[in-house]
Amino acid sequence: MEPFEVFAIRYGHLGNRHPGQSYILADPHEYGPDLDYFVWVARRNDCMFVIDTGFAEESAIRRKREHLRSPVDALRLLDIDPDKVTDVILTHLHYDHAGNLDRFPAARYHVQDREVAYATGRCMCHAGLRGPFEEDDVVAIVRKLFAGRVQFHDGTDELAPGITVHHVGGHTAGLQVVRVKTARGWVVLAADAAHLYGNFENDRAFPVVYSVAEMLEGYKLLYRLADSANHIVPGHDPLVMKYYPAARADVEGIVVRLDVPPSRAVPPSR
Ligand SMILES: [Zn+2]
Ligand SMILES: [Zn+2]
């Protein structure tokens, strides 16, 4: 089996955060980490998957996030034409992962049953749970569904040999992580199953949460799916840009390769 190349594309940033915005029961005096925003790509000769679609500039302005670049246009840095992308995996439907859906006219969208049920059901009666969703994104996925362009998954599924999705229910009801076979082994793109290294490595729950218990179980699942702790890629940690090498000199600070080992000692397994 030919291994996948895997990339993270950084398109947004958020600074000046209180520690309690990253960790439940944080000490107010500890460091409050910044967040980066990413989309990911897994590709090899016979197939290519875009993982998440980022937020649009309008959502960034409304939500006061730093919009560094369009995540869709940034795919062109990897010679990917968004018009020709055939498969998009949506880890979940939060605004920073499932915007821009109309920018992929040829794509089929892979999403968990439970995520669409969650984003269109009674949990959205609660402002706190509804807040990270954009109404327009949820409507957009329903329209894709009626256009025959949604592929549902329930739990674990193989999309092609060497790439599988796995349900993790903590952050939203139907979040999925993506496990990809690379030249260095099985890499797990955690997305919001682990925003920061500090969440999964220290077993500290992130406060945007549907079920704390499932989130903590999710951290354990990441370790089971990945070949080592250094094969887990958190979804919002700025350290990812520090640990992984640029895909090319001209995309320094924008695109890093995740299919090569990070420049950090391997932390203990849990
Ligand atoms: Zn999220
Ligand atoms: Zn997110």
Side-chain angles (χ1 to χ4, degrees), residues 14-27:
L14 182 63
N16 296 316
R17 297 177 73 257
H18 185 277
Q21 292 174 302
S22 292
Y23 306 115
I24 288 177
L25 298 178
D27 181 330

Side-chain angles (χ1 to χ4, degrees), residues 125-174:
C125 298
H126 301 291
L129 296 179
R130 187 171 67 228
F133 291 92
E134 284 286 326
E135 180 184 339
D136 285 348
D137 298 341
V138 176
V139 170
I141 198 73
V142 172
R143 289 196 192 287
K144 304 299 172 217
L145 170 60
F146 276 76
R149 291 175 52 201
V150 172
Q151 174 73 56
F152 282 100
H153 302 281
D154 182 16
T156 300
D157 238 337
E158 183 180 73
L159 306 193
I163 184 163
T164 51
V165 291
H166 304 262
H167 172 252
V168 174
H171 173 66
T172 63

Side-chain angles (χ1 to χ4, degrees), residues 37 92 94 96-97 171 192 195 236:
Y37 294 82
H92 62 307
H94 276 167
D96 53 323
H97 298 260
H171 173 66
D192 290 6
H195 285 66
H236 285 278

